Each structure stands twice: as structure tokens, then as C-alpha cells.
Amino acid sequence: MWRFIGKIQSWWYLVRQLTLVEIVGMYKKSFLGMAWMFILPILAVVIWVVLNGAGVVNPGETDIPYPAYVLLSTSIWGFFLEAYKSTSNLLIKNGRMLIMSEVPFEPLLMQKVVVHLINFIIPFIVNIIVLLAFGVRFSTVALLFPFSLFPLLLLGMAIGMVIAIFRIIMVDIANLVDEGMKLLMFLTPIVYTPKITTSWLQVIVEYNPLTYLIGFSRDLLTSGTFFMPVQYAVFTFVSLLLFIVAFRFLMKSSPIVLERLINN
């Protein structure tokens, strides 16, 4: 245990430097810079609100106004998706560093988590402002909201670690999963409520783990209630298990991955 804590302390300087380089690199060539963190979620909400107003999207009855509902839902979905994206590109983006030095995978994963949290926290301020503007009042239970996102982080990183390997050795599978993630958004109650009338979609929603992981966090923040707590607990455990298995798979596959990176 103490040896593991010592390793984390020794990795922290590297994590901090890599985080600083990535954050600066993301926005230094942009005129608006970090303002994009606020602009993009607002633009996304405007699109869905227009579609809803035109009758293209029928979300069902929502407990809070639709603009606030879709903004919060897409932000939580983005938290999961960006965890997947950043982790799935881990080996591609850090390939040269892995080849030229004996950097372990652990600090690279830690750095992705830190950057991911920074990128989520700043635009999340927009969510809070919008919810307050629409009259949503937060209860003390809402303080648990950040902790409720933990399973989404684990699940996104678990899938990402596996795809990071396939992105090196089997690119077609990685590309297929990337496209599947785009489809998955529309099979998850994000821009509509979990209670829908389309029978085939209802079946998919009921068996979709993200229905419960996202719905639990959303209701926890907006109404102070626990959406399907048993299902949420089950899929939290599954997410943790998948993360452990995916991490072990990444560690075991490292010799093959490094060899392929060198050959490429």
C-alpha cells in the first residue's frame, strides 16, 4: 500500500507537467481559447431546442424545462464520451514518449483523468447557471453529484483502454467502436426521457447501462431523488470490474503494443 502511494507521489510531477502541456496546447492556437468550453455546450442546446420546437424531437415530459434538461444530459453524456475518447487515444498520442523512455502507463492514465476533469468542470458552471435561471433549486443531496459520475468515468476509461490497444493493432475495430459511440447517444435517454412509447427503443433503453448511470446523476442534481438505485449500484459494480479487467489487459498487452509502435 505504502509503496503504491510512493509511486503516485513520484508520478505526480510528470502528471502535472503533461497536463499543463496538453491544456495549453488545446487552446493556444485558438482566438477564443478556453471560451469554447462555454460556447460549444450552449450551441448544442440551441440545436436540440430548435429541433424540439419544430416537432422533430419529442422528448416526453421532463421535470425541468427542456433546454436545462438537454444541457445537463448532454454534459453528463459528454463526461462519459470524453473519458472514452481521451483514453482510447492514449497510446497514439503518447507513442513516441513510450518508445523513447520507460514511462509506465499509470501516470499517463492519471494525466488523462486530470485533463478530463478540468475540461468538464469549467463548462459545468454553465449548467449550474442555466438550471438556476430556469428555477431549479438544489437540495443538499445534490452535493453527491460529483461522486455519482465516478462509474461513468470508470466505464468510459475501461472501453477506452481496450480500444487504445485496438487502435494500434486493429484500426478497423477502433473506428467501428468510434462510430458506435455516436449511435449510442441516440439509444440513451439524453435528449428524451427514459419513458418513451416506441417499443423497440424502450427495450434498448431498459437494457442500456447508461440509462441508469446518467439518469441517476441527472435526477440527483435536479430533484434530489435517486433514479433506479438498484440498477445504478449493479452497473457501478460492473463498471469497476470492467475497469480492472481493461487495465490488466492494457498492462499484459504492453509488450505487443510497444513492438507495434516501434515498427510503425
mmCIF file of all heavy atoms in Angstrom, residues 2 4 7 12 16 25 33 73 85 94 106 126 138 142 154 170 179 196 219 221 226 230 251-252 260:
data_model
loop_
_atom_site.group_PDB
_atom_site.id
_atom_site.type_symbol
_atom_site.label_atom_id
_atom_site.label_comp_id
_atom_site.label_asym_id
_atom_site.label_seq_id
_atom_site.Cartn_x
_atom_site.Cartn_y
_atom_site.Cartn_z
ATOM 1 N N TRP A 2 1.828 1.320 0.942
ATOM 2 C CA TRP A 2 2.681 2.496 1.031
ATOM 3 C C TRP A 2 3.571 2.624 -0.194
ATOM 4 O O TRP A 2 3.897 3.736 -0.635
ATOM 5 C CB TRP A 2 3.542 2.422 2.294
ATOM 6 C CG TRP A 2 2.725 2.551 3.551
ATOM 7 C CD1 TRP A 2 2.500 1.579 4.475
ATOM 8 C CD2 TRP A 2 2.022 3.710 3.997
ATOM 9 N NE1 TRP A 2 1.698 2.046 5.477
ATOM 10 C CE2 TRP A 2 1.384 3.372 5.205
ATOM 11 C CE3 TRP A 2 1.865 4.992 3.488
ATOM 12 C CZ2 TRP A 2 0.605 4.265 5.917
ATOM 13 C CZ3 TRP A 2 1.085 5.901 4.205
ATOM 14 C CH2 TRP A 2 0.472 5.537 5.399
ATOM 15 N N PHE A 4 2.664 1.759 -3.204
ATOM 16 C CA PHE A 4 1.802 2.301 -4.259
ATOM 17 C C PHE A 4 1.628 3.810 -4.096
ATOM 18 O O PHE A 4 1.679 4.566 -5.069
ATOM 19 C CB PHE A 4 0.449 1.598 -4.227
ATOM 20 C CG PHE A 4 -0.526 2.111 -5.255
ATOM 21 C CD1 PHE A 4 -0.339 1.830 -6.602
ATOM 22 C CD2 PHE A 4 -1.616 2.889 -4.869
ATOM 23 C CE1 PHE A 4 -1.229 2.301 -7.557
ATOM 24 C CE2 PHE A 4 -2.510 3.365 -5.814
ATOM 25 C CZ PHE A 4 -2.307 3.066 -7.163
ATOM 26 N N LYS A 7 4.658 5.537 -5.305
ATOM 27 C CA LYS A 7 4.696 5.601 -6.765
ATOM 28 C C LYS A 7 3.862 6.765 -7.276
ATOM 29 O O LYS A 7 4.267 7.490 -8.193
ATOM 30 C CB LYS A 7 4.186 4.292 -7.370
ATOM 31 C CG LYS A 7 5.169 3.144 -7.311
ATOM 32 C CD LYS A 7 4.619 1.935 -8.042
ATOM 33 C CE LYS A 7 5.629 0.795 -8.058
ATOM 34 N NZ LYS A 7 5.095 -0.377 -8.798
ATOM 35 N N TRP A 12 3.533 12.239 -9.781
ATOM 36 C CA TRP A 12 2.705 13.440 -9.796
ATOM 37 C C TRP A 12 3.340 14.588 -10.577
ATOM 38 O O TRP A 12 2.640 15.326 -11.272
ATOM 39 C CB TRP A 12 2.390 13.879 -8.371
ATOM 40 C CG TRP A 12 1.467 15.080 -8.350
ATOM 41 C CD1 TRP A 12 1.727 16.318 -7.886
ATOM 42 C CD2 TRP A 12 0.135 15.121 -8.864
ATOM 43 N NE1 TRP A 12 0.646 17.139 -8.063
ATOM 44 C CE2 TRP A 12 -0.346 16.440 -8.663
ATOM 45 C CE3 TRP A 12 -0.703 14.180 -9.472
ATOM 46 C CZ2 TRP A 12 -1.620 16.830 -9.051
ATOM 47 C CZ3 TRP A 12 -1.968 14.565 -9.864
ATOM 48 C CH2 TRP A 12 -2.414 15.875 -9.657
ATOM 49 N N ARG A 16 1.530 16.444 -13.678
ATOM 50 C CA ARG A 16 1.285 17.896 -13.674
ATOM 51 C C ARG A 16 1.841 18.556 -14.923
ATOM 52 O O ARG A 16 1.177 19.399 -15.546
ATOM 53 C CB ARG A 16 1.905 18.511 -12.423
ATOM 54 C CG ARG A 16 1.584 19.995 -12.234
ATOM 55 C CD ARG A 16 2.158 20.490 -10.923
ATOM 56 N NE ARG A 16 3.616 20.297 -10.863
ATOM 57 C CZ ARG A 16 4.346 20.523 -9.779
ATOM 58 N NH1 ARG A 16 3.769 20.923 -8.656
ATOM 59 N NH2 ARG A 16 5.652 20.334 -9.803
ATOM 60 N N GLY A 25 -1.756 23.438 -25.057
ATOM 61 C CA GLY A 25 -1.746 23.065 -26.465
ATOM 62 C C GLY A 25 -3.124 23.022 -27.092
ATOM 63 O O GLY A 25 -3.280 23.263 -28.296
ATOM 64 N N GLY A 33 -9.866 30.679 -27.459
ATOM 65 C CA GLY A 33 -9.243 29.936 -26.370
ATOM 66 C C GLY A 33 -10.242 29.099 -25.580
ATOM 67 O O GLY A 33 -11.107 28.416 -26.138
ATOM 68 N N SER A 73 -28.104 16.790 -19.536
ATOM 69 C CA SER A 73 -27.970 15.413 -20.017
ATOM 70 C C SER A 73 -26.800 15.260 -20.973
ATOM 71 O O SER A 73 -26.024 14.298 -20.875
ATOM 72 C CB SER A 73 -29.271 14.976 -20.712
ATOM 73 O OG SER A 73 -30.361 15.008 -19.816
ATOM 74 N N LYS A 85 -12.846 8.888 -25.222
ATOM 75 C CA LYS A 85 -12.007 9.431 -26.296
ATOM 76 C C LYS A 85 -10.566 9.646 -25.835
ATOM 77 O O LYS A 85 -9.615 9.252 -26.527
ATOM 78 C CB LYS A 85 -12.587 10.755 -26.799
ATOM 79 C CG LYS A 85 -13.817 10.616 -27.681
ATOM 80 C CD LYS A 85 -14.249 11.986 -28.174
ATOM 81 C CE LYS A 85 -15.435 11.898 -29.114
ATOM 82 N NZ LYS A 85 -15.851 13.243 -29.587
ATOM 83 N N ASN A 94 0.745 9.285 -27.179
ATOM 84 C CA ASN A 94 1.954 9.192 -26.352
ATOM 85 C C ASN A 94 2.915 8.124 -26.854
ATOM 86 O O ASN A 94 3.796 7.685 -26.114
ATOM 87 C CB ASN A 94 1.574 8.892 -24.894
ATOM 88 C CG ASN A 94 0.765 10.005 -24.266
ATOM 89 O OD1 ASN A 94 1.293 11.039 -23.867
ATOM 90 N ND2 ASN A 94 -0.536 9.797 -24.179
ATOM 91 N N GLU A 106 0.557 4.053 -15.993
ATOM 92 C CA GLU A 106 -0.250 4.616 -14.909
ATOM 93 C C GLU A 106 -0.258 6.146 -14.880
ATOM 94 O O GLU A 106 -1.344 6.749 -14.812
ATOM 95 C CB GLU A 106 0.202 4.063 -13.555
ATOM 96 C CG GLU A 106 -0.123 2.592 -13.348
ATOM 97 C CD GLU A 106 0.996 1.684 -13.815
ATOM 98 O OE1 GLU A 106 1.779 2.105 -14.696
ATOM 99 O OE2 GLU A 106 1.089 0.551 -13.309
ATOM 100 N N VAL A 126 -21.715 26.462 -16.608
ATOM 101 C CA VAL A 126 -22.826 26.899 -17.457
ATOM 102 C C VAL A 126 -24.098 26.139 -17.090
ATOM 103 O O VAL A 126 -25.195 26.706 -17.037
ATOM 104 C CB VAL A 126 -22.483 26.687 -18.944
ATOM 105 C CG1 VAL A 126 -23.676 27.050 -19.838
ATOM 106 C CG2 VAL A 126 -21.266 27.495 -19.327
ATOM 107 N N PHE A 138 -31.435 23.418 -5.764
ATOM 108 C CA PHE A 138 -30.677 22.226 -5.409
ATOM 109 C C PHE A 138 -30.849 21.894 -3.928
ATOM 110 O O PHE A 138 -30.824 22.784 -3.074
ATOM 111 C CB PHE A 138 -29.200 22.436 -5.721
ATOM 112 C CG PHE A 138 -28.943 22.846 -7.152
ATOM 113 C CD1 PHE A 138 -28.391 24.087 -7.441
ATOM 114 C CD2 PHE A 138 -29.267 22.004 -8.190
ATOM 115 C CE1 PHE A 138 -28.153 24.473 -8.744
ATOM 116 C CE2 PHE A 138 -29.034 22.369 -9.500
ATOM 117 C CZ PHE A 138 -28.478 23.609 -9.780
ATOM 118 N N ALA A 142 -27.749 17.028 -3.654
ATOM 119 C CA ALA A 142 -27.048 17.352 -4.895
ATOM 120 C C ALA A 142 -25.540 17.419 -4.705
ATOM 121 O O ALA A 142 -24.784 17.337 -5.682
ATOM 122 C CB ALA A 142 -27.562 18.675 -5.458
ATOM 123 N N LEU A 154 -15.232 5.419 -14.921
ATOM 124 C CA LEU A 154 -14.655 4.078 -14.980
ATOM 125 C C LEU A 154 -15.053 3.353 -16.257
ATOM 126 O O LEU A 154 -14.212 2.727 -16.922
ATOM 127 C CB LEU A 154 -15.096 3.263 -13.762
ATOM 128 C CG LEU A 154 -14.561 3.693 -12.400
ATOM 129 C CD1 LEU A 154 -15.140 2.800 -11.309
ATOM 130 C CD2 LEU A 154 -13.037 3.655 -12.362
ATOM 131 N N MET A 170 -5.457 -3.186 -34.476
ATOM 132 C CA MET A 170 -6.620 -3.465 -35.343
ATOM 133 C C MET A 170 -7.442 -2.183 -35.471
ATOM 134 O O MET A 170 -8.427 -1.984 -34.759
ATOM 135 C CB MET A 170 -7.468 -4.602 -34.768
ATOM 136 C CG MET A 170 -6.725 -5.931 -34.632
ATOM 137 S SD MET A 170 -7.752 -7.273 -33.989
ATOM 138 C CE MET A 170 -8.878 -7.527 -35.360
ATOM 139 N N GLU A 179 -17.589 4.981 -34.240
ATOM 140 C CA GLU A 179 -18.874 5.276 -34.885
ATOM 141 C C GLU A 179 -20.036 4.771 -34.032
ATOM 142 O O GLU A 179 -21.096 5.396 -33.978
ATOM 143 C CB GLU A 179 -18.927 4.639 -36.275
ATOM 144 C CG GLU A 179 -17.917 5.209 -37.255
ATOM 145 C CD GLU A 179 -18.083 6.707 -37.441
ATOM 146 O OE1 GLU A 179 -19.231 7.168 -37.594
ATOM 147 O OE2 GLU A 179 -17.057 7.420 -37.426
ATOM 148 N N ILE A 196 -40.516 6.317 -22.913
ATOM 149 C CA ILE A 196 -40.837 6.561 -24.311
ATOM 150 C C ILE A 196 -41.841 5.529 -24.794
ATOM 151 O O ILE A 196 -41.996 4.462 -24.197
ATOM 152 C CB ILE A 196 -39.567 6.507 -25.191
ATOM 153 C CG1 ILE A 196 -38.794 5.209 -24.920
ATOM 154 C CG2 ILE A 196 -38.673 7.703 -24.956
ATOM 155 C CD1 ILE A 196 -37.541 5.064 -25.756
ATOM 156 N N ASP A 219 -31.008 13.059 -12.034
ATOM 157 C CA ASP A 219 -32.068 13.250 -11.047
ATOM 158 C C ASP A 219 -31.514 13.658 -9.694
ATOM 159 O O ASP A 219 -32.149 14.411 -8.947
ATOM 160 C CB ASP A 219 -32.898 11.967 -10.908
ATOM 161 C CG ASP A 219 -33.815 11.739 -12.088
ATOM 162 O OD1 ASP A 219 -33.706 12.494 -13.077
ATOM 163 O OD2 ASP A 219 -34.637 10.799 -12.044
ATOM 164 N N LEU A 221 -29.038 15.610 -9.136
ATOM 165 C CA LEU A 221 -28.739 17.037 -9.147
ATOM 166 C C LEU A 221 -29.998 17.889 -9.237
ATOM 167 O O LEU A 221 -30.112 18.901 -8.541
ATOM 168 C CB LEU A 221 -27.812 17.367 -10.319
ATOM 169 C CG LEU A 221 -27.350 18.825 -10.432
ATOM 170 C CD1 LEU A 221 -26.504 19.218 -9.231
ATOM 171 C CD2 LEU A 221 -26.570 19.048 -11.716
ATOM 172 N N PHE A 226 -33.240 9.563 -6.217
ATOM 173 C CA PHE A 226 -32.350 8.504 -6.688
ATOM 174 C C PHE A 226 -33.066 7.685 -7.756
ATOM 175 O O PHE A 226 -33.991 6.935 -7.443
ATOM 176 C CB PHE A 226 -31.923 7.606 -5.528
ATOM 177 C CG PHE A 226 -31.218 8.351 -4.425
ATOM 178 C CD1 PHE A 226 -31.879 8.653 -3.243
ATOM 179 C CD2 PHE A 226 -29.901 8.757 -4.575
ATOM 180 C CE1 PHE A 226 -31.238 9.345 -2.235
ATOM 181 C CE2 PHE A 226 -29.249 9.449 -3.566
ATOM 182 C CZ PHE A 226 -29.915 9.745 -2.398
ATOM 183 N N VAL A 230 -31.037 0.519 -7.453
ATOM 184 C CA VAL A 230 -30.527 -0.854 -7.516
ATOM 185 C C VAL A 230 -29.774 -1.078 -8.820
ATOM 186 O O VAL A 230 -28.652 -1.607 -8.837
ATOM 187 C CB VAL A 230 -31.675 -1.873 -7.384
ATOM 188 C CG1 VAL A 230 -31.152 -3.299 -7.574
ATOM 189 C CG2 VAL A 230 -32.361 -1.746 -6.022
ATOM 190 N N MET A 251 -2.011 -3.672 -19.422
ATOM 191 C CA MET A 251 -0.686 -3.987 -18.897
ATOM 192 C C MET A 251 -0.103 -5.238 -19.564
ATOM 193 O O MET A 251 1.078 -5.261 -19.937
ATOM 194 C CB MET A 251 -0.767 -4.218 -17.376
ATOM 195 C CG MET A 251 -1.138 -2.983 -16.567
ATOM 196 S SD MET A 251 0.082 -1.644 -16.678
ATOM 197 C CE MET A 251 -0.787 -0.535 -17.775
ATOM 198 N N LYS A 252 -0.932 -6.263 -19.735
ATOM 199 C CA LYS A 252 -0.464 -7.506 -20.333
ATOM 200 C C LYS A 252 -0.123 -7.327 -21.812
ATOM 201 O O LYS A 252 0.751 -8.035 -22.344
ATOM 202 C CB LYS A 252 -1.535 -8.599 -20.184
ATOM 203 C CG LYS A 252 -1.788 -9.043 -18.757
ATOM 204 C CD LYS A 252 -0.604 -9.830 -18.193
ATOM 205 C CE LYS A 252 -0.928 -10.381 -16.813
ATOM 206 N NZ LYS A 252 0.221 -11.154 -16.248
ATOM 207 N N ARG A 260 4.633 -2.944 -31.783
ATOM 208 C CA ARG A 260 3.906 -2.425 -32.954
ATOM 209 C C ARG A 260 4.176 -0.927 -33.159
ATOM 210 O O ARG A 260 4.295 -0.455 -34.290
ATOM 211 C CB ARG A 260 2.414 -2.677 -32.783
ATOM 212 C CG ARG A 260 1.583 -2.349 -34.011
ATOM 213 C CD ARG A 260 1.964 -3.231 -35.196
ATOM 214 N NE ARG A 260 1.696 -4.623 -34.914
ATOM 215 C CZ ARG A 260 0.532 -5.223 -35.197
ATOM 216 N NH1 ARG A 260 -0.446 -4.496 -35.753
ATOM 217 N NH2 ARG A 260 0.360 -6.487 -34.946
#
